[in-house]
Amino acid sequence: QRTGFDAGVLSLAEVKEKIGRVLGPTYPDPAVARIAGNEVYFARGAYEKLQQDPLAMRAMTDAVLAIPGIAGIFRAEELAGGVKNLSPTRTAVQLSYFPGRSGDLYLLQQPYWLTESTPEGSKRYTGTGHGTPYSYDQRVPILLMGFGIKPGQYFDEVTPADIAPTLAALTGVTLATREGQILRAALK
């Protein structure tokens, strides 16, 4: 905020309270069981009921989108479809979705907005926890040094999955299966 960016703290307590107020007495109290990171988990049966009630779903969505710091909402059924999308933001969120484990809603916070670490309103915040699809939150440097490493800086796009195959190549270990690639440019 001091540098002129639209920044702030997203109140998870306000999200939980607004959803409960909009859904009212026809839904469980509380309607939201918990919020973990950017994911909203509804009470048992509440989300299924909400999916069958388009007016209530729309009212809930509008109320949450009106909260300062919210840039968008992705519903579990949208993310579970696996449909390719041109939006890099949605693709990043979709790649993090795990059926049965992820929340019913994913709250996309605005860039440079922090979230409270708990919805109970504690004054602890999370910042760049690598949970948003924004570049400043996704970039994590990898530092390799020691025998077999070529000094230099490399700006290729890599993932944490590339670390194990690279270390295996350095030590002569054969991995049965691997997800990542060997970072050959950094090896002597």
Side-chain angles (χ1 to χ4, degrees), residues 54-108:
L55 292 176
M57 180 69 82
R58 182 65 188 195
M60 181 274 304
T61 301
D62 289 346
V64 173
L65 288 171
I67 296 171
I70 297 285
I73 298 173
F74 296 101
R75 295 170 32 193
E77 60 272 21
E78 296 171 331
L79 301 174
V83 176
K84 295 292 182 204
N85 193 290
L86 295 178
S87 164
T89 301
R90 180 173 167 173
T91 299
V93 172
Q94 195 167 13
L95 288 170
S96 296
Y97 180 78
F98 191 92
R101 195 179 301 166
S102 293
D104 300 305
L105 298 178
Y106 178 91
L107 304 175
L108 178 63

Side-chain angles (χ1 to χ4, degrees), residues 22-47:
V22 166
L23 297 182
T26 61
Y27 283 82
D29 185 24
V32 173
R34 69 187 175 101
I35 301 177
N38 293 54
E39 299 187 56
V40 176
Y41 296 83
F42 282 86
R44 186 179 307 267
Y47 191 67

Side-chain angles (χ1 to χ4, degrees), residues 11-29:
S11 171
L12 299 180
E14 183 179 355
V15 170
K16 190 173 182 179
E17 184 271 327
K18 275 211 175 172
I19 291 173
R21 191 166 8 121
V22 166
L23 297 182
T26 61
Y27 283 82
D29 185 24

Side-chain angles (χ1 to χ4, degrees), residues 38-179:
N38 293 54
E39 299 187 56
V40 176
Y41 296 83
F42 282 86
R44 186 179 307 267
Y47 191 67
E48 292 76 13
K49 182 177 179 180
L50 191 55
Q51 288 175 303
Q52 302 304 315
D53 188 349
L55 292 176
M57 180 69 82
R58 182 65 188 195
M60 181 274 304
T61 301
D62 289 346
V64 173
L65 288 171
I67 296 171
I70 297 285
I73 298 173
F74 296 101
R75 295 170 32 193
E77 60 272 21
E78 296 171 331
L79 301 174
V83 176
K84 295 292 182 204
N85 193 290
L86 295 178
S87 164
T89 301
R90 180 173 167 173
T91 299
V93 172
Q94 195 167 13
L95 288 170
S96 296
Y97 180 78
F98 191 92
R101 195 179 301 166
S102 293
D104 300 305
L105 298 178
Y106 178 91
L107 304 175
L108 178 63
Q109 66 205 54
Q110 292 178 355
Y112 307 111
W113 277 70
L114 306 176
T115 58
E116 298 168 335
S117 59
T118 63
E120 286 74 38
S122 75
K123 294 303 176 191
R124 294 178 299 142
Y125 309 113
T126 58
T128 54
H130 313 299
T132 67
Y134 304 117
S135 62
Y136 70 85
D137 208 17
Q138 289 184 336
R139 305 275 184 239
V140 180
I142 296 175
L143 176 66
L144 300 173
M145 58 186 275
F147 180 78
I149 302 297
K150 187 180 349 173
Q153 292 183 352
Y154 307 94
F155 298 99
D156 297 338
E157 199 167 298
V158 300
T159 75
D162 298 331
I163 297 170
T166 303
L167 294 178
L170 280 169
T171 58
V173 173
T174 302
L175 298 176
T177 61
R178 69 175 196 232
E179 186 178 320

